[in-house]
Amino acid sequence: KNLEAGSYHSFDDFKSDVRLTFENAMKYNEEKSIVHEMAKQLKKKFEQDYKKLLKQLDREHVENAKKVQACGLCGGEKLLFEPTVFFCNGLNCPSTRIRRNHNFYITADKQYAWCNQCYTELGDTIDLGTTQIKKEALTKRKNDETHEESWVQCDDCQRWIHQVCGLYNTRQDKENKSAYSCPLCVLDRRKKQGEPKVLPPPPCAEDLPRTKLSEWLEKDVHQKVDNRMKELAAEKAETENITYDEAYKSLSSGGPVTIRQVTSTDRKHEVREAIKARYIKKNYPDEFPYRCKCIVVFQNIDGVDVVLFALYVYEHGDDNPFPNKKTVYVSYLDSVHFLKPRKMRTFIYHEILISYLDYARAKGFEQAFIWACPPLKGDDYIFYAKPEDQKIPKEVRLRQWYLDMLDECQRRNIVGKVTNMYDQYLADKTLDFSCVPYFEGDYFPGEAENIIKTLNESGDKKSSGGGKKKAASKSKKSNSNKSPEDKVYNGGRDVVMQKFCEAIEGMKHSFIVAYLNCKTAKPENLVVPKKVMEYRKANGIICGAIDGAKLEAEKPQSAVTDESKTNGISEEKKSDDMAGSMSENKADETKSSAEFSDVKVKADSSGSNPETVPSECPPTEEKLPVSKKRNVDGKSVATPTDTKSSSSDSKLDRNGKPLRIMDDDTEELDCEFFNTRQCFLDLCRGNHYQFDELRRAKHTSMMVLWHLQNREAPKFVQQCFACAREISSGYRHHCNTCPDFDLCTECYRDPSSNRGTCNHKLEAIRVDNQGASSGLTEEQRRERQRNIQLHITLIEHASRCTSTSCKSSNCMKMKSYLKHGLVCTVKASGGCKLCKRIWTLLRIHAQQCKSSTCPIPQCIAIRNRIRQLQLKQQAMDDRRRQEMNRHYRMGVSGN
């Protein structure tokens, strides 16, 4: 059955199941019985045939690899990437995919595109935020392009192999002059000459910056995974009648898991206009500040660190206005199913989320919010082009996956009450929408905006219909004890909340609210099901909120201490009710082996073990140091010593350098292509970084690591049309007429090179090959950040200074640089280094500037560009929300 369903992804998995079948037949039948003897003979025959099959497959692979047109490694020939995806920027269909084999119009830099319908409605001049272009400058194209995998030739054996198969990094070989040896030649040379004494270290996940959060997650997850692997090995050894060492070795086919935080930046989420106007008398805030954090998980597979999992979370601290105060929002989560062993996927992903919630509650956050929404068909959340056999869960299955994780959190006393947005906020008639948390990318902001616009439109129509109804309506609203604003309330009830209740009542369980067991948690928010209380008591788990003051005094412990328990939670009726809500729509406790794709939490369904030993509660100092520059209350905390930083000073990384652990709450960890999931998707789409096969996932991960360690290097480079090599240095010769036509210098000078149908004059454009050095010391990094801030201050001064004899010695120099940026014809996109540096400083300033009359050049334009990107992401979120509404309404009408 599993074979027909395509559930096997390796020969070993198939072999293990067949052996298990025969082992069970021998185990449960007497030794001399017919069944026992037949199973014994068939098992022996299977072992012989299995070895023959592997040898035959190896021979076929070697023969295919010897073909002239085939890759020397994979044996394949011409392989195509996933077709390029273009999104329309028009007003009629914002952020919708342009269909294959349809015409569309695109800008020269390929950043903006319009479908045929939207193109006809464009004006003569198009405002792109940072610049304006003429409509006639757009290029007409047909969405039918295909791109072939590039090749590289081994300088030793002269075989041609796919760059993806050979893990060839074109960014390292900038001049295309370095000698390249394929993996087969390297292996042969090492067999003859032995292992070289010194090897250059490849990009490795361990070398990425460490933060307090990543250290917390990695240590906690490693401990849980190690315990779980021992349990599975013991179970496998017993069922398959093999030794424990053999069982553990077969399960440990994948290497260690590395968890790193790649982004930690402060951002602000602006409130939409209709909501702001409707609740203006409630002093509703204009924006909500938050801390965006991105966590990425790698596993070493066949000696290569492969990206398998990514998580985006938004932390709203105590400096946030109500109702976002002390809340965390699990925004996006994505994975690919290459983790080994596969049966550990759900367990590891659950443990990462559980460990993060444990970290959040130790910091003082009180609530966690999750929207269980599967992706739309053909959409990607974070990873581009995932495997075809990776399944996408239905909404009910995804929601249950979340609840299973939260159920384990309740067992470990990390989470108290688990409810949903409808029961917690919308059903309460005393609340209005200003009491509902407002998160970027969430369902509620976009839906509330639509509801308010509909109400305003219907109100305008009614106001022109007559005076009696209007007078009666005013009389009714005047009796309300609520806000005096007539349009907001209807008989004491917020009309927006009423509309929300009607809209989401059938899908309310998808909007999950979990109360964290933090120091300030209220007893009524720590109510858990009766079965959870019984489990805690049976395992000696402390009940009640953690005390943050004890974090420093606590010592590391491997088991849960049985200390005094609070008796504030004994309301069995509430526990039973919550147990009912948790178990509603619950699937069978033992989940099947179907695997999940890109969802808000990406996962498979092997399930977490409900009998896992609970994590330490309260968290220990070794996991989360108390000494930090800023806590969740937004207050500075000065401590005489920092045990974490002092202990890390004695540790060294693999290169012998002292380890440093960053404070992810106070230090900026900025990564342009990981700052949003859309930026990472754009990076992958533009460079064909795909995850549909393991070999491509390895190459993509190698390039992602290179970008992470060279963060200022260009994200995209052009390919030579003739030789298909990436042009990463020198000059590229570009055709302004033909789409995507560039030649490297060698092919440009060679009259016999293939130029296709292009016979136009080519423009030489310099390629900037200087990226950020990955070998900067910590002192150099700090000095670099200080210089950036000084230059930003100087730009602000020079833009406002009108004096011709300014005392600042650098004022006139900065003015000349700004003037150069206005008159330069090469620009940053063309390779002008001065423009690139000035543009970077202007972008950093614009991200924080709020002045409507800022005199700094391009500041308002850059902010408009940032706003456009936000609107693009907003449009994609709205499309997902609308699809969820449509799916629910179709289900209701079908019933």
Side-chain angles (χ1 to χ4, degrees):
K1 187 177 179 180
N2 287 340
L3 190 61
E4 292 176 353
S7 301
Y8 293 113
H9 299 275
S10 69
F11 293 123
D12 289 339
D13 292 341
F14 171 72
K15 177 184 177 182
S16 178
D17 281 0
V18 174
R19 289 183 60 181
L20 179 61
T21 302
F22 296 135
E23 289 289 347
N24 287 339
M26 296 166 61
K27 182 177 181 179
Y28 295 105
N29 291 276
E30 295 182 1
E31 188 172 348
K32 295 183 179 181
S33 66
I34 297 177
V35 175
H36 184 96
E37 291 298 323
M38 290 179 64
K40 186 176 181 180
Q41 293 176 14
L42 288 173
K43 180 185 175 184
K44 184 177 180 181
K45 181 73 166 54
F46 170 76
E47 296 285 355
Q48 295 172 351
D49 292 345
Y50 182 76
K51 291 180 180 178
K52 292 180 182 178
L53 177 63
L54 291 183
K55 291 180 180 179
Q56 180 183 346
L57 292 174
D58 288 340
R59 286 196 301 270
E60 292 177 358
H61 176 74
V62 172
E63 291 175 2
N64 290 333
K66 289 180 179 179
K67 295 179 181 179
V68 178
Q69 301 295 330
C71 171
L73 294 177
C74 71
E77 298 183 7
K78 182 178 179 179
L79 299 178
L80 299 178
F81 286 115
E82 191 78 9
T84 306
V85 179
F86 295 98
F87 294 92
C88 180
N89 290 92
L91 297 176
N92 293 329
C93 50
S95 300
T96 56
R97 288 192 178 196
I98 296 175
R99 295 180 180 180
R100 290 287 292 172
N101 299 315
H102 280 62
N103 293 328
F104 68 102
Y105 297 82
I106 193 170
T107 56
D109 58 2
K110 295 182 289 187
Q111 296 297 313
Y112 300 90
W114 289 266
C115 65
N116 256 327
Q117 180 183 355
C118 294
Y119 173 79
T120 58
E121 299 179 4
L122 289 174
D124 294 335
T125 303
I126 306 170
D127 186 4
L128 299 179
T130 56
T131 184
Q132 291 183 343
I133 62 171
K134 297 291 184 180
K135 181 179 179 178
E136 58 189 25
L138 299 180
T139 305
K140 184 177 181 179
R141 291 173 57 179
K142 190 173 183 179
N143 191 13
D144 60 353
E145 295 180 0
T146 56
H147 296 271
E148 182 184 353
E149 282 195 20
S150 299
W151 297 75
V152 61
Q153 187 177 27
C154 175
D155 291 307
D156 295 331
C157 65
Q158 305 303 311
R159 280 182 292 204
W160 285 91
I161 62 175
H162 295 121
Q163 291 184 4
V164 172
C165 296
L167 295 178
Y168 178 71
N169 186 351
T170 56
R171 302 298 183 91
Q172 293 287 85
D173 186 14
K174 296 176 182 177
E175 303 293 337
N176 294 314
K177 296 180 180 178
S178 301
Y180 173 73
S181 298
C182 69
L184 296 177
C185 292
V186 172
L187 185 62
D188 290 339
R189 184 163 57 247
R190 291 185 181 181
K191 286 180 178 179
K192 296 175 182 178
Q193 303 176 2
E195 292 289 336
K197 295 182 180 179
V198 180
L199 284 173
C204 180
E206 282 189 26
D207 297 333
L208 297 178
R210 299 169 183 249
T211 65
K212 292 182 178 181
L213 174 57
S214 68
E215 290 293 286
W216 167 285
L217 295 175
E218 191 171 70
K219 181 177 179 181
D220 198 29
V221 171
H222 279 181
Q223 181 182 352
K224 298 295 189 304
V225 168
D226 186 54
N227 294 336
R228 180 61 175 161
M229 287 287 287
K230 291 177 181 177
E231 294 175 6
L232 292 176
E235 180 183 335
K236 185 179 180 70
E238 182 180 356
T239 55
E240 298 187 16
N241 196 22
I242 58 178
T243 64
Y244 174 84
D245 291 339
E246 289 177 337
Y248 193 89
K249 184 178 179 181
S250 64
L251 290 173
S252 304
S253 55
V257 171
T258 303
I259 302 176
R260 288 293 181 268
Q261 184 177 352
V262 295
T263 291
S264 182
T265 56
D266 286 324
R267 297 189 198 162
K268 294 182 179 180
H269 182 207
E270 294 183 2
V271 177
R272 300 194 184 191
E273 293 300 325
I275 299 175
K276 195 189 308 181
R278 187 176 184 87
Y279 298 101
I280 190 171
K281 293 190 176 180
K282 284 280 188 177
N283 293 325
Y284 201 73
D286 294 335
E287 58 189 17
F288 291 96
Y290 64 94
R291 188 83 166 176
C292 175
K293 298 181 179 181
C294 178
I295 299 155
V296 179
V297 178
F298 302 82
Q299 185 184 32
N300 191 277
I301 301 177
D302 303 327
V304 180
D305 284 334
V306 182
V307 180
L308 299 175
F309 180 89
L311 165 68
Y312 281 90
V313 293
Y314 301 155
E315 295 181 352
H316 295 257
D318 197 34
D319 56 342
N320 258 246
F322 179 80
N324 283 24
K325 192 174 184 178
K326 293 187 179 181
T327 61
V328 295
Y329 180 66
V330 178
S331 179
Y332 287 97
L333 211 156
D334 203 355
S335 74
V336 286
H337 64 25
F338 298 124
L339 188 140
K340 297 182 179 181
R342 285 178 183 263
K343 63 177 64 178
M344 289 289 289
R345 286 185 66 220
T346 290
F347 179 83
I348 291 178
Y349 300 160
H350 271 183
E351 287 300 328
I352 292 171
L353 279 174
I354 292 170
S355 183
Y356 172 73
L357 293 179
D358 197 10
Y359 176 90
R361 62 107 179 214
K363 288 174 57 183
F365 291 100
E366 296 177 348
Q367 288 177 291
F369 294 83
I370 304 171
W371 177 17
C373 177
L376 302 180
K377 185 178 180 181
D379 278 2
D380 297 306
Y381 272 163
I382 300 175
F383 297 129
Y384 173 56
K386 287 183 287 300
E388 291 184 3
D389 60 340
Q390 185 165 332
K391 298 179 181 179
I392 299 176
K394 300 296 183 182
E395 182 187 347
V396 174
R397 187 65 175 278
L398 174 60
R399 179 173 67 242
Q400 191 56 52
W401 193 92
Y402 275 109
L403 293 178
D404 290 341
M405 180 272 297
L406 292 172
D407 182 62
E408 185 63 25
C409 287
Q410 287 182 321
R411 290 169 178 262
R412 302 184 191 181
N413 201 26
I414 296 171
V415 166
K417 182 172 70 172
V418 176
T419 180
N420 57 73
M421 293 288 288
Y422 181 92
D423 295 337
Q424 187 65 30
Y425 296 100
L426 304 182
D428 190 343
K429 295 184 178 181
T430 64
L431 301 179
D432 58 22
F433 186 76
S434 65
C435 300
V436 178
Y438 193 97
F439 301 115
E440 182 173 355
D442 195 25
Y443 174 90
F444 292 92
E447 188 68 12
E449 188 82 355
N450 281 352
I451 290 175
I452 293 172
K453 287 180 179 178
T454 303
L455 290 174
N456 292 341
E457 291 173 0
S458 62
D460 292 340
K461 292 179 180 179
K462 289 181 180 179
S463 63
S464 61
K468 290 186 178 180
K469 284 188 175 181
K470 188 174 181 181
S473 176
K474 286 186 177 180
S475 175
K476 186 176 181 180
K477 290 181 181 179
S478 64
N479 296 327
S480 174
N481 294 326
K482 301 295 180 180
S483 170
E485 193 166 4
D486 294 340
K487 292 184 179 181
V488 178
Y489 297 97
N490 182 15
R493 178 74 166 130
D494 186 359
V495 183
V496 176
M497 298 290 268
Q498 286 181 334
K499 296 293 184 181
F500 259 121
C501 289
E502 298 170 4
I504 75 163
E505 184 175 8
M507 53 183 176
K508 64 180 183 179
H509 297 290
S510 297
F511 307 103
I512 303 171
V513 181
Y515 282 87
L516 303 180
N517 185 13
C518 62
K519 180 182 177 181
T520 58
K522 298 178 181 179
E524 60 267 23
N525 293 331
L526 298 180
V527 176
V528 294
K530 187 175 180 180
K531 63 179 182 179
V532 174
M533 292 297 295
E534 293 173 352
Y535 177 88
R536 290 180 182 178
K537 292 177 181 178
N539 289 272
I541 299 176
I542 304 171
C543 297
I546 65 170
D547 186 356
K550 292 183 179 180
L551 290 177
E552 188 175 357
E554 283 289 331
K555 295 181 180 180
Q557 50 186 353
S558 59
V560 179
T561 56
D562 186 10
E563 298 179 0
S564 59
K565 306 174 183 178
T566 60
N567 298 320
I569 311 170
S570 59
E571 304 176 39
E572 292 189 7
K573 185 177 184 301
K574 289 186 179 180
S575 298
D576 293 340
D577 291 342
M578 187 52 57
S581 65
M582 282 287 290
S583 60
E584 186 173 344
N585 293 323
K586 184 161 184 172
D588 191 15
E589 287 293 332
T590 57
K591 298 185 286 291
S592 66
S593 61
E595 295 165 343
F596 288 176
S597 175
D598 51 354
V599 288
K600 282 221 163 179
V601 168
K602 302 295 175 268
D604 68 359
S605 57
S606 57
S608 62
N609 184 3
E611 303 303 324
T612 305
V613 178
S615 65
E616 293 82 352
C617 181
T620 63
E621 178 193 12
E622 186 175 354
K623 282 188 174 180
L624 182 64
V626 177
S627 301
K628 48 182 175 281
K629 298 176 184 177
R630 186 186 71 180
N631 56 20
V632 73
D633 298 327
K635 300 176 182 178
S636 298
V637 180
T639 54
T641 59
D642 189 341
T643 57
K644 190 73 178 180
S645 60
S646 61
S647 62
S648 63
D649 290 341
S650 60
K651 297 180 181 179
L652 303 176
D653 61 14
R654 64 174 185 148
N655 299 318
K657 297 180 180 179
L659 281 178
R660 178 183 177 273
I661 299 174
M662 299 175 60
D663 187 340
D664 53 284
D665 288 323
T666 60
E667 298 182 64
E668 287 283 318
L669 188 58
D670 188 21
C671 182
E672 183 180 350
F673 58 88
F674 260 122
N675 278 342
T676 66
R677 61 109 181 177
Q678 191 62 48
C679 290
F680 183 68
L681 272 176
D682 291 342
L683 174 77
C684 293
R685 286 176 181 144
N687 292 289
H688 301 296
Y689 295 161
Q690 300 183 186
F691 292 87
D692 52 341
E693 301 174 7
L694 179 58
R695 67 184 191 91
R696 283 179 172 171
K698 290 178 180 178
H699 182 266
T700 296
S701 302
M702 177 191 72
M703 297 307 300
V704 168
L705 283 169
W706 185 87
H707 281 290
L708 284 170
Q709 295 176 358
N710 299 271
R711 301 195 180 204
E712 289 190 1
K715 306 299 179 294
F716 307 98
V717 294
Q718 283 72 27
Q719 276 190 335
C720 176
F721 181 86
C723 63
R725 292 183 301 186
E726 290 186 348
I727 310 172
S728 54
S729 64
Y731 287 86
R732 63 182 177 94
H733 300 268
H734 177 70
C735 177
N736 292 316
T737 304
C738 301
D740 294 336
F741 188 93
D742 291 275
L743 292 178
C744 64
T745 302
E746 293 180 8
C747 294
Y748 176 74
R749 293 173 178 173
D750 184 4
S752 62
S753 61
N754 176 26
R755 296 199 179 193
T757 59
C758 178
N759 55 5
H760 309 102
K761 183 179 179 180
L762 304 183
E763 177 186 359
I765 300 176
R766 185 171 183 81
V767 178
D768 184 13
N769 61 355
Q770 293 184 356
S773 173
S774 59
L776 293 178
T777 64
E778 194 53 44
E779 184 62 31
Q780 289 172 330
R781 287 194 183 95
R782 283 198 295 268
E783 181 65 20
R784 184 171 178 272
Q785 289 296 325
R786 191 179 71 86
N787 287 335
I788 289 175
Q789 293 301 323
L790 288 175
H791 279 81
I792 292 176
T793 303
L794 182 58
I795 284 180
E796 294 173 350
H797 165 79
S799 300
R800 294 180 174 91
C801 180
T802 58
S803 173
T804 56
S805 58
C806 182
K807 296 181 179 179
S808 174
S809 58
N810 293 316
C811 180
M812 293 302 296
K813 185 183 293 186
M814 182 56 71
K815 287 180 179 178
S816 66
Y817 290 161
L818 293 175
K819 184 178 180 180
H820 166 84
L822 296 175
V823 300
C824 180
T825 57
V826 179
K827 303 293 184 183
S829 58
C832 177
K833 295 181 181 179
L834 182 57
C835 285
K836 184 177 180 180
R837 291 169 184 168
I838 295 296
W839 185 261
T840 301
L841 296 173
L842 292 175
R843 180 178 60 84
I844 296 173
H845 162 80
Q847 288 175 338
Q848 302 173 351
C849 181
K850 294 297 179 182
S851 174
S852 58
T853 57
C854 182
I856 295 180
Q858 298 295 321
C859 175
I860 295 178
I862 295 173
R863 282 153 54 187
N864 289 337
R865 167 63 177 155
I866 295 173
R867 177 62 177 164
Q868 281 192 348
L869 292 175
Q870 292 173 344
L871 291 175
K872 180 181 178 181
Q873 178 62 49
Q874 199 175 91
M876 298 183 73
D877 293 333
D878 288 345
R879 187 163 60 93
R880 186 162 55 102
R881 172 181 51 79
Q882 292 164 4
E883 182 64 22
M884 187 174 184
N885 289 338
R886 187 189 66 82
H887 177 74
Y888 166 69
R889 286 162 187 159
M890 286 180 60
V892 171
S893 60
N895 294 332

